[in-house]
Amino acid sequence: MKELSEVIGKNLKEIRKKQNLSLDETSRLTGVSKPMLGQIERGQSNPTVSTLWKIATGLKVPFSEFMKKSTADYEIVSLKKIDPVLECGEDMKIYTMFPFNNEENFEILYIKLESGAVHKSQKHRDEVKEYVFVIDGVLHMKIGSETLTVKKGEALKFKANIDHEYSNLNKEECFFQNIIVYQNTHQNQV
């Protein structure tokens, strides 16, 4: 986990510097305190998914921009080698399989929800769409005021500009892939 915290911190600092923002300005844009931002940048804090989404939304960058590492022309990704971002205690684990890059405008996440896990996601920008494919188990989604059930082998697509919630109400774990697409946008407009 320390390696992931360091990667997140390095990327946050790099993004902030590229946007010519102070920690105070970043705090004002994101709603995350200046001390917390400083701890994250130094790799001293492992931020929650909610905190990373606040920062991503405030800085107008994709969520996975914080987890990106240098890549080659090809890449084989193994879950065993990825430190997950934890949410809901440790009931939700998010593995960044392929982080966002400017050429493709999407990111691919592999998510594991333990039984009883509920994650409320704030709305994203208008240009953002999510594609969810359930690999195993049953995923319960709340999109706005509508509740949906997505089973193993089923997929769901939705505009992510409204509040949405992922939950596992069953006894078995739920595994799903989440592809987040940033349409007609550049990295600094997400």
Side-chain angles (χ1 to χ4, degrees):
M1 281 308 225
K2 182 158 176 57
E3 180 186 333
L4 178 61
S5 296
E6 290 170 358
V7 168
I8 290 171
K10 177 183 151 292
N11 288 329
L12 171 57
K13 188 171 187 174
E14 200 172 284
I15 292 164
R16 182 175 63 80
K17 296 286 185 185
K18 280 182 185 175
Q19 294 186 19
N20 295 317
L21 296 171
S22 67
L23 281 174
D24 284 325
E25 292 166 323
T26 304
S27 177
R28 194 170 50 256
L29 287 171
T30 63
V32 176
S33 73
K34 179 181 173 181
M36 175 57 75
L37 290 169
Q39 288 176 1
I40 294 169
E41 283 191 2
R42 291 187 300 275
Q44 297 172 336
S45 176
N46 190 14
T48 65
V49 172
S50 296
T51 299
L52 283 177
W53 270 115
K54 280 184 178 179
I55 297 169
T57 301
L59 296 180
K60 300 179 181 172
V61 298
F63 174 81
S64 67
E65 195 71 7
F66 300 109
M67 280 71 72
K68 75 177 184 177
K69 297 179 185 178
S70 301
T71 60
D73 289 339
Y74 65 89
E75 185 176 6
I76 296 176
V77 180
S78 170
L79 283 177
K80 295 176 185 177
K81 295 182 180 180
I82 299 173
D83 289 326
V85 175
L86 305 176
E87 184 71 5
C88 307
E90 292 189 19
D91 288 347
M92 180 180 195
K93 294 180 181 174
I94 300 176
Y95 300 83
T96 302
M97 302 300 290
F98 293 101
F100 175 87
N101 72 54
N102 287 326
E103 294 173 11
E104 297 162 342
N105 288 336
F106 69 86
E107 58 193 340
I108 300 177
L109 310 173
Y110 179 88
I111 301 174
K112 175 183 177 184
L113 284 180
E114 298 288 344
S115 177
V118 177
H119 172 70
K120 295 180 181 183
S121 182
Q122 296 177 345
K123 63 183 177 180
H124 308 307
R125 297 181 56 86
D126 287 342
E127 303 84 12
V128 179
K129 286 187 179 176
E130 291 193 31
Y131 297 79
V132 175
F133 177 74
V134 177
I135 298 165
D136 201 12
V138 178
L139 177 65
H140 298 273
M141 293 283 311
K142 187 171 182 185
I143 301 172
S145 61
E146 194 164 345
T147 302
L148 307 164
T149 300
V150 188
K151 300 174 184 172
K152 177 180 178 177
E154 295 180 339
L156 167 69
K157 172 181 107 172
F158 63 96
K159 286 190 74 171
N161 62 348
I162 57 176
D163 291 333
H164 46 285
E165 177 180 293
Y166 306 89
S167 59
N168 180 2
L169 306 178
N170 300 317
K171 292 181 181 178
E172 300 80 24
E173 298 169 328
C174 178
F175 300 88
F176 63 97
Q177 189 175 50
N178 190 353
I179 301 170
I180 304 174
V181 179
Y182 302 87
Q183 297 183 336
N184 303 323
T185 178
H186 300 289
Q187 178 179 354
N188 291 333
Q189 296 178 343
V190 173

